[in-house]
Amino acid sequence: MPTSIVISSSDGESFRTVAEYLVGNPASESPSLASSFLDLRLTNGFGQDMNMEIDSPAAAGTEQLKNGDIDESLYSRQLYVLGHEAMKRMSSSHVLIAGLRGLGVEIAKNIALAGVKSLTLFDPASATISDLSSQFFLHPEDVGKPRAEVTVPRVAELNAYTPVSIHPSKTLTEDLNQLKSYQVIVLTGTPLKDQLVISDFCHENGIFLVIADIYGLFGSIFTDFGKNFAIADPTGENPVSGIVAGIDSEGLVSALDETRHGLEDGDFVTFTELQGMEALNNSEPRKVIVKGPYTFSIGDVFGLGQYKRGGLYNQVKMPKLINFEPLSEQLKKPEMLISDYAKFDRPQQLHLGFQALHIFAEHHEGALPRPHNEEDALEVLKYATSLAGEGEEKVELDEKLLHELSYQARGDLSPMAAFFGGLAAQEVLKSVSGKFHPIVQWLYFDSLESLPSSVSRSEELCKPLNSRYDGQIAVFGKDFQSKLANVNEFLVGAGAIGCEMLKNWAMIGLATGPKGKISIADMDQIEKSNLNRQFLFRPKDVGKLKSACAAEAVQAMNPELQGKIATLPDRVGADTEHIFSEAFWGELDGVTNALDNVEARQYVDRRCVFFRKPLLDSGTLGTKGNTQVVLPSLTESYSSSQDPPEQSFPQCTLRSFPNKIEHTIAWAKDQFHSYFVGPPETVNLYLTQPNYIEQTLKQSGNQIGTLENLRDFLVTEKPLNFDDCIVWARQQFEKEYNNAIQQLLFNFPKDCTTASGAPFWSGPKRAPDPLKFDASNPTHLGYVIAAANLHAFNYGIKSGGVAEGHYTKIMDNMIIPEFTPSSSVKIQADDNEPDPNAQAAGSRFDDNYELDKITSMLPPPKSLSGFKLEPVEFEKDDDTNHHIDFITASSNLRAENYAIALADRHKTKFIAGKIIPAIATTTALITGLVILELYKIVDGKTDIEQYKNGFVNLALPFFGFSEPIASPKGEYLGKNGKVTIDKLWDRFEVENVTLKEFLSDFEQQGLDVTMISSGVSLLYASFYPPAKLKDRMGLKLNKLVETISKKPIPDHQSNVIFEVTCEDQTGEDVEIPYVMLKLRK
């Protein structure tokens, strides 16, 4: 059977380079390209009007969009993944999902959260007890009822903008014309003969089709998006841009200052602001051939003149067309995407094995092979063998693999449903939005490494027990189910990943036994923007604690968890170690991280290493996700590798020479702090701290700036009413966008040259122009409105209900003085030069008279008893607080100064708020992978090769799995030869002996201790004089610590950590693990 294999990453880069996609920039959007894509798509023969309406049973007012607007407060994190244009196309789409066991409901959940015009579900079959293994919207009392009937109202709760209904038919094939109401159809648990009929109909009528199935630890997905399917943005990455340094006569473009251009062969770019070769400016996109990391070719430039200087290049996303084949063709000649390169030969075998299961079911009235039944397995193998001989290329079958597929055919595992549910839902969204590259056309995945080796499996042990876990018992057996039930697991975080994790735990029966326990720690409260992906929460939960609501929701999913969940509304950190004590950690079997910041993940990781607990860590960034397994004495830890540092910009660039919108947004964020946060905090310190002025003057740094802030906010610019705040805001506009720019151009005129004679305003330096205030300009007025309201907030002045006309009226009555630049003002021209305005370290402001003059103007703190300012606490998700409004206006005004393309409020909020883009599909898929690793930990596997760290990018799509990196090992020469140590997990544990006994004990192991420290306290050093050591040698170690540190050991602390340096028998310094002093309390 001929098989075409498609590499997961189409650019053929090395794994390291491909993996960079996982930490790259989030998705962006291009409205113009999106529009052209839509035009292209509507004329390419799909036969569907994307704005078509169908009757909806939903109540009035639940339409996805009204007047074309998207509820950004709900969809904000998803918008940063998909973009407005893609979401608007989704909102015109009608989706049908057939089959509502675990996989079908997982897809439905993800699509409902994402938001489509309508979602229709089909499954007239009655719910069974085994459905509860993965169908989280079914309850025990629903057994015997039609699946669709009981599932629809629960899916509908997820999103008021997505009406959910039941497909009005007994079978999908009885009236195929009904299917024309949908843009996308998803089939799960559907017989192959029906798949073929529906597939042919969909392909002929331009209806997108996704087929997904799971059998135990095996799963597959198939897509058919028709002929000439257009992809507007295959990767979702931000288009790259840069500054041109040169273009030669052969069309070779060089990036400025050897900055990596970030382009790939086949990309397209346009140019602007070129001097010389002006014909290239805003011309048709040019195809790129990469010549090196800093150069690329744009082909023939004959007749375009000679490049002089300047210019920007901008990548343009070009639509890509793909022709899909119908299922009937793809069954014969499958085109496959590889999910795991360690299993390169499996997809072809599973392609035949899945068909063999369908044939088996046809011969057995729809029933799949019985769990672990040898007779049924042999029949499946016979069908697969027959299929293998039919094609042009013979597929070599692994009988053991096919037997396992048959054994697990009735298996229904929640993590597999989560993995394929996230994957299939993302493919649905790709089909209707044109955003990201679809799977072409098959993907098979298995996790046979998750099978337990610590318990037996047999037909007897895997047979159904009329239990909600029968779908899992069919795969693992009842003994392993008992193991899962008695686990004590700690979940850190109850956000998006935490909700999905708890859902999976409830389905697999984790901690439901007599010894089982789940602890959930999360201090956050639920916000509206959480509802788009944290699916355990509903609108009524907004404002409540995440940990409590999540626990309540999963106990409703699986009542066997009642009394098994402890919620802790606390942050896990150094300040809560009395809550998350050593006794708490000691009882745990494992820890699962569901955190969204590196610092917290590293802290939990360090505690897991200290207490030697296995840790499952995962994270997502839009369509990208990763999982990591941390195993005591086997693997490195999360903290063993470092994430790249956050991007930062040179201060000189931000202050005077911005050249891109990210610079102006960073500057505006600094302005926000310097206006509304820093000075009010300084005022409050002045009013409450005795001798604040004297202390300030003693410090090196900007004393004059501090005193000027106090003078301005308490005397010269202190507002009495809101009108004064408007005046202040208008003055700040003049100061920042007119006067400061005039001064900059006075210091560096536009015709200024450098010492070498080159134009000063060239390369990354863009010459600015001052702005003249225009109240009719929305950005100008918006700045004043936002700044005035925030200034009023600082002083507690009421500002509500002021009409725009009032702002204009107040400003019309203002007299703005003419600005005259000063020759005494110095401006730093380059970050490599010293700042002419910086004070020397340790010096005070030269003019003491000026300092005293300002100080004398300040009112004594006692005269302002009871007065204080209210610093603004930045909050990006409140659209009424003016925070993002100010930063957007401030950034765009500065961008106007420098002729930089403006950013809308949405983009500004993303950058200034450091928002992590998120979508439910990735979260569901990643948690599925984590649970597959949890099975292995519960089984007690010690072979590192059985574990998998995962890297996923659903946009490309890319899947990468690798064996965890082993923990670092070392050795030293002891008295009895070489001793091997694990540098991460090993440690020396000692009782509370004297220092003398401690040194002697190490000497017996062949180690001469040269230094001992605990925290910042140096307890012992071999170079200390005997007199200094005399009093220490006889002290118990705990008393030694308390004596030297001059602090008692906290009561909740039952150990103390020592860092020790030693020499081994060779006389050389050796690296040894830390020492833990055990205190008996």
Side-chain angles (χ1 to χ4, degrees):
M1 179 176 293
T3 304
S4 173
I5 302 295
V6 177
I7 299 297
S8 306
S9 175
S10 59
D11 53 26
E13 292 182 291
S14 67
F15 181 79
R16 179 187 176 94
T17 306
V18 172
E20 289 174 0
Y21 282 120
L22 304 173
V23 294
N25 292 326
S28 66
E29 59 195 277
S30 173
S32 59
L33 277 174
S35 301
S36 61
F37 153 76
L38 191 56
D39 293 340
L40 172 64
R41 181 174 166 192
L42 290 176
T43 59
N44 67 8
F46 287 149
Q48 290 289 320
D49 176 1
M50 300 308 294
N51 296 311
M52 183 177 71
E53 299 284 346
I54 63 169
D55 293 334
S56 168
T62 60
E63 306 94 64
Q64 164 76 26
L65 299 177
K66 294 183 179 180
N67 302 319
D69 293 332
I70 294 172
D71 187 346
E72 292 193 9
S73 62
L74 175 66
Y75 291 117
S76 66
R77 302 307 186 264
Q78 181 175 291
L79 274 167
Y80 293 117
V81 182
L82 299 173
H84 283 82
E85 292 300 321
M87 281 203 61
K88 286 178 180 177
R89 289 195 291 274
M90 283 163 47
S91 70
S92 300
S93 303
H94 305 280
V95 180
L96 169 67
I97 299 174
L100 291 175
R101 297 182 73 206
L103 176 56
V105 79
E106 186 75 48
I107 300 169
K109 176 258 292 179
N110 292 328
I111 292 174
L113 290 172
V116 292
K117 182 70 174 178
S118 74
L119 178 60
T120 306
L121 306 182
F122 173 80
D123 193 337
S126 298
T128 66
I129 189 68
S130 65
D131 290 344
L132 301 180
S133 295
S134 61
Q135 220 284 30
F136 45 85
F137 281 150
L138 288 179
H139 302 154
E141 60 270 22
D142 297 325
V143 172
K145 300 176 184 176
R147 291 192 190 112
E149 185 179 298
V150 293
T151 303
V152 162
R154 292 163 192 167
V155 174
E157 289 179 2
L158 294 171
N159 190 344
Y161 294 113
T162 299
V164 185
S165 59
I166 298 175
H167 181 73
S169 179
K170 292 183 178 179
T171 69
L172 290 179
T173 55
E174 68 180 13
D175 183 3
L176 291 173
N177 284 321
Q178 284 186 331
L179 304 182
K180 290 183 179 180
S181 299
Y182 309 103
Q183 275 73 51
V184 198
I185 294 174
V186 183
L187 302 179
T188 71
T190 305
L192 182 58
K193 62 180 182 181
D194 289 351
Q195 291 180 16
L196 288 164
V197 171
I198 295 168
S199 169
D200 287 343
F201 182 83
C202 289
H203 194 80
E204 291 169 7
N205 289 275
I207 302 168
F208 305 133
L209 178 67
V210 177
I211 303 173
D213 281 302
I214 56 172
Y215 302 105
L217 290 166
F218 300 89
S220 74
I221 185 169
F222 168 80
T223 62
D224 175 10
F225 297 165
K227 301 174 183 177
N228 297 321
F229 178 75
I231 310 165
D233 182 359
T235 68
E237 299 299 323
N238 275 331
V240 300
S241 61
I243 301 172
V244 175
I247 306 177
D248 69 13
S249 59
E250 302 297 320
L252 185 71
V253 181
S254 302
L256 183 73
D257 293 336
E258 291 203 338
T259 304
R260 290 179 178 269
H261 51 66
L263 296 165
E264 298 174 5
D265 283 344
D267 285 344
F268 285 80
V269 295
T270 58
F271 294 90
T272 57
E273 302 183 20
L274 291 173
Q275 295 182 36
M277 293 190 170
E278 283 88 352
L280 279 176
N281 288 333
N282 301 307
S283 64
E284 288 297 311
R286 289 282 191 131
K287 192 172 184 178
V288 165
I289 299 174
V290 173
K291 296 297 185 181
Y294 315 109
T295 57
F296 60 90
S297 172
I298 57 170
D300 183 20
V301 292
F302 180 77
L304 297 180
Q306 185 174 356
Y307 173 81
K308 294 179 182 176
R309 65 188 179 99
L312 305 173
Y313 65 85
N314 295 280
Q315 181 190 5
V316 178
K317 296 290 185 78
M318 303 295 282
K320 178 181 179 180
L321 295 179
I322 297 179
N323 278 313
F324 287 80
E325 294 181 344
L327 178 64
S328 55
E329 295 297 321
Q330 279 288 304
L331 281 174
K332 301 170 189 173
K333 296 181 180 180
E335 189 171 356
M336 295 183 182
L337 178 73
I338 301 298
S339 63
D340 188 343
Y341 288 97
K343 305 173 181 178
F344 198 79
D345 62 336
R346 282 198 188 167
Q348 299 96 319
Q349 297 183 67
L350 294 179
H351 186 68
L352 301 177
F354 276 44
Q355 293 178 65
L357 289 180
H358 282 287
I359 296 171
F360 180 96
E362 284 184 22
H363 286 82
H364 295 268
E365 298 180 343
L368 289 166
R370 290 162 290 181
H372 241 272
N373 182 276
E374 187 65 25
E375 180 185 346
D376 290 356
L378 288 171
E379 186 176 341
V380 170
L381 178 62
K382 181 184 72 173
Y383 297 141
T385 304
S386 176
L387 289 168
E390 291 177 1
E392 298 173 10
E393 287 185 18
K394 301 297 182 285
V395 177
E396 188 174 336
L397 296 179
D398 179 346
E399 292 189 12
K400 186 177 179 182
L401 178 70
L402 272 297
H403 268 66
E404 198 61 64
L405 176 62
S406 178
Y407 290 163
Q408 299 182 33
R410 294 193 188 184
D412 188 10
L413 300 178
S414 179
M416 292 296 290
F419 179 88
F420 277 97
L423 192 56
Q426 189 67 58
E427 294 305 302
V428 169
L429 301 182
K430 290 176 185 179
S431 71
V432 297
S433 70
K435 184 89 172 189
F436 311 136
H437 199 293
I439 291 171
V440 182
Q441 288 188 245
W442 295 91
L443 179 138
Y444 287 90
F445 171 81
D446 74 80
S447 183
L448 291 184
E449 304 83 13
S450 298
L451 286 172
S453 55
S454 64
V455 298
S456 298
R457 295 187 304 138
S458 66
E459 186 170 5
E460 178 63 24
L461 292 171
C462 295
K463 70 180 183 182
L465 303 175
N466 197 33
S467 154
R468 66 174 297 136
Y469 309 115
D470 278 352
Q472 187 163 253
I473 290 171
V475 179
F476 298 131
K478 65 179 182 180
D479 293 345
F480 189 69
Q481 188 62 46
S482 178
K483 273 195 162 191
L484 287 168
N486 289 289
V487 167
N488 185 339
E489 191 77 8
F490 182 25
L491 178 66
V492 190
I497 290 177
C499 284
E500 293 286 342
M501 209 70 73
L502 285 167
K503 172 258 293 179
N504 281 292
W505 289 359
M507 294 298 97
I508 69 174
L510 191 77
T512 54
K515 298 179 182 178
K517 182 180 179 182
I518 293 172
S519 301
I520 310 171
D522 197 313
M523 63 182 290
D524 288 345
Q525 295 177 324
I526 298 164
E527 301 173 359
K528 184 178 180 182
S529 64
N530 300 149
L531 304 180
N532 173 237
R533 63 203 182 282
Q534 301 176 18
F535 88 105
L536 295 181
F537 308 139
R538 301 291 180 268
K540 64 180 176 60
D541 299 323
V542 171
K544 298 178 183 177
L545 283 168
K546 288 183 177 181
S547 56
C549 288
E552 183 181 346
V554 293
Q555 286 174 96
M557 284 181 177
N558 186 351
E560 293 181 19
L561 281 173
Q562 295 284 350
K564 299 292 182 180
I565 301 180
T567 59
L568 299 140
D570 302 283
R571 187 177 73 90
V572 181
D575 55 338
T576 56
E577 287 182 3
H578 61 290
I579 298 171
F580 303 99
S581 62
E582 293 171 22
F584 172 85
W585 284 93
E587 293 175 352
L588 298 175
D589 293 315
V591 181
T592 300
N593 261 352
L595 295 163
D596 62 358
N597 74 85
V598 172
E599 183 182 351
R601 290 163 81 174
Q602 287 177 335
Y603 174 81
V604 174
D605 175 68
R606 290 195 299 271
R607 299 303 279 172
C608 287
V609 170
F610 182 80
F611 291 106
R612 293 172 172 157
K613 301 296 179 182
L615 169 67
L616 290 165
D617 189 273
S618 58
T620 66
L621 181 72
T623 59
K624 303 162 189 172
N626 75 287
T627 64
Q628 182 177 358
V629 189
V630 178
L631 303 166
S633 302
L634 283 180
T635 72
E636 68 174 15
S637 73
Y638 174 82
S639 304
S640 297
S641 57
Q642 298 296 318
D643 289 333
E646 283 190 22
Q647 184 183 27
S648 60
F649 304 114
Q651 282 302 309
C652 187
T653 300
L654 296 184
R655 283 196 296 258
S656 304
F657 308 111
N659 58 62
K660 55 184 180 179
I661 197 66
E662 287 81 4
H663 294 157
T664 68
I665 292 173
W667 179 85
K669 186 84 178 287
D670 286 344
Q671 290 288 104
F672 180 91
H673 187 275
S674 63
Y675 281 148
F676 313 117
V677 184
E681 289 176 346
T682 301
V683 167
N684 291 342
L685 289 173
Y686 169 72
L687 296 175
T688 57
Q689 278 192 8
N691 303 318
Y692 179 75
I693 294 293
E694 290 79 359
Q695 293 298 320
T696 298
L697 297 181
K698 287 179 183 177
Q699 297 169 357
S700 62
N702 188 22
Q703 297 102 325
I704 188 70
T706 300
L707 293 178
E708 284 177 340
N709 279 335
L710 289 173
R711 178 199 63 197
D712 294 345
F713 273 70
L714 286 175
V715 184
T716 58
E717 296 179 357
K718 181 182 177 183
L720 299 177
N721 51 45
F722 188 64
D723 288 355
D724 289 346
C725 295
I726 297 173
V727 170
W728 176 87
R730 173 65 181 87
Q731 290 169 341
Q732 303 318 304
F733 178 99
E734 201 67 20
K735 171 185 167 186
E736 300 295 349
Y737 306 107
N738 184 6
N739 301 355
I741 301 300
Q742 286 193 51
Q743 182 67 56
L744 179 63
L745 290 173
F746 176 82
N747 287 47
F748 305 109
K750 288 192 176 184
D751 58 359
C752 179
T753 58
T754 65
S756 64
F760 178 85
W761 295 105
S762 62
K765 289 186 171 71
R766 302 173 66 85
D769 291 298
L771 295 184
K772 183 176 181 181
F773 184 81
D774 178 3
S776 65
N777 184 313
T779 306
H780 294 209
L781 182 60
Y783 175 88
V784 172
I785 291 173
N789 277 273
L790 290 169
H791 196 55
F793 176 87
N794 285 150
Y795 288 90
I797 295 172
K798 301 290 185 184
S799 60
V802 178
E804 284 189 6
H806 184 73
Y807 290 91
T808 306
K809 178 182 176 184
I810 295 297
M811 290 186 289
D812 286 344
N813 292 326
M814 290 177 63
I815 298 175
I816 304 298
E818 287 292 324
F819 176 75
T820 303
S822 170
S823 58
S824 64
V825 175
K826 306 299 181 186
I827 298 175
Q828 187 180 9
D830 192 283
D831 270 297
N832 296 323
E833 298 178 2
D835 185 350
N837 301 304
Q839 276 182 256
S843 71
R844 290 182 53 182
F845 190 69
D846 291 337
D847 193 347
N848 286 321
Y849 170 76
E850 183 68 20
L851 286 173
D852 293 339
K853 179 182 175 183
I854 297 174
T855 302
S856 67
M857 296 176 65
L858 300 178
K862 289 183 180 178
S863 69
L864 295 170
S865 178
F867 176 80
K868 74 168 190 173
L869 296 185
E870 187 70 36
V872 174
E873 186 175 339
F874 179 64
E875 171 50 60
K876 59 185 176 290
D877 286 320
D878 181 352
D879 291 339
T880 65
N881 63 12
H882 301 286
H883 297 188
I884 296 298
D885 294 332
F886 173 83
I887 294 172
T888 302
S890 180
S891 167
N892 282 340
L893 288 171
R894 191 158 176 82
E896 280 187 42
N897 281 138
Y898 288 86
I900 296 169
L902 310 186
D904 62 13
R905 189 182 190 280
H906 182 69
K907 181 176 180 178
T908 304
K909 176 179 174 180
F910 172 72
I911 296 173
K914 296 181 179 179
I915 289 175
I916 299 173
I919 189 168
T921 51
T922 314
T923 308
L925 183 147
I926 285 297
T927 52
L929 292 177
V930 171
I931 302 300
L932 293 173
E933 299 305 305
L934 176 65
Y935 285 143
K936 303 171 188 178
I937 291 175
V938 173
D939 184 44
K941 295 184 189 300
T942 57
D943 180 3
I944 196 172
E945 294 182 359
Q946 296 297 306
Y947 290 91
K948 301 273 189 180
N949 287 344
F951 307 91
V952 172
N953 188 338
L954 295 182
L956 298 179
F958 169 80
F959 302 87
F961 296 95
S962 64
E963 176 186 310
I965 299 173
S967 53
K969 305 296 190 290
E971 61 180 32
Y972 66 87
L973 185 62
K975 286 194 172 181
N976 299 317
K978 287 186 177 180
V979 179
T980 301
I981 55 172
D982 189 309
K983 292 182 179 180
L984 178 64
W985 297 96
D986 282 347
R987 62 177 174 240
F988 293 97
E989 296 185 0
V990 299
E991 299 295 330
N992 192 22
V993 296
T994 65
L995 174 58
K996 183 177 181 179
E997 291 170 325
F998 178 89
L999 296 173
S1000 176
D1001 289 345
F1002 269 76
E1003 189 177 341
Q1004 293 298 315
Q1005 299 182 60
L1007 294 169
D1008 293 326
V1009 177
T1010 56
M1011 199 176 297
I1012 307 171
S1013 62
S1014 178
V1016 296
S1017 301
L1018 184 59
L1019 308 179
Y1020 168 84
S1022 58
F1023 55 77
Y1024 278 174
K1028 190 169 186 176
L1029 293 175
K1030 181 180 177 182
D1031 294 336
R1032 301 187 183 190
M1033 284 297 190
L1035 289 176
K1036 295 276 190 179
L1037 294 176
N1038 67 326
K1039 293 301 180 185
L1040 179 64
V1041 171
E1042 293 180 333
T1043 301
I1044 304 303
S1045 68
K1046 299 179 181 178
K1047 291 188 296 186
I1049 297 171
D1051 290 338
H1052 67 82
Q1053 190 172 322
S1054 61
N1055 57 65
V1056 178
I1057 302 303
F1058 296 154
E1059 298 293 339
V1060 179
T1061 57
C1062 296
E1063 295 176 354
D1064 68 359
Q1065 295 297 290
T1066 66
E1068 298 291 330
D1069 287 339
V1070 291
E1071 185 179 349
I1072 65 167
Y1074 65 87
V1075 177
M1076 185 175 80
L1077 166 63
K1078 296 186 291 183
L1079 302 173
R1080 300 189 182 279
K1081 295 190 176 182

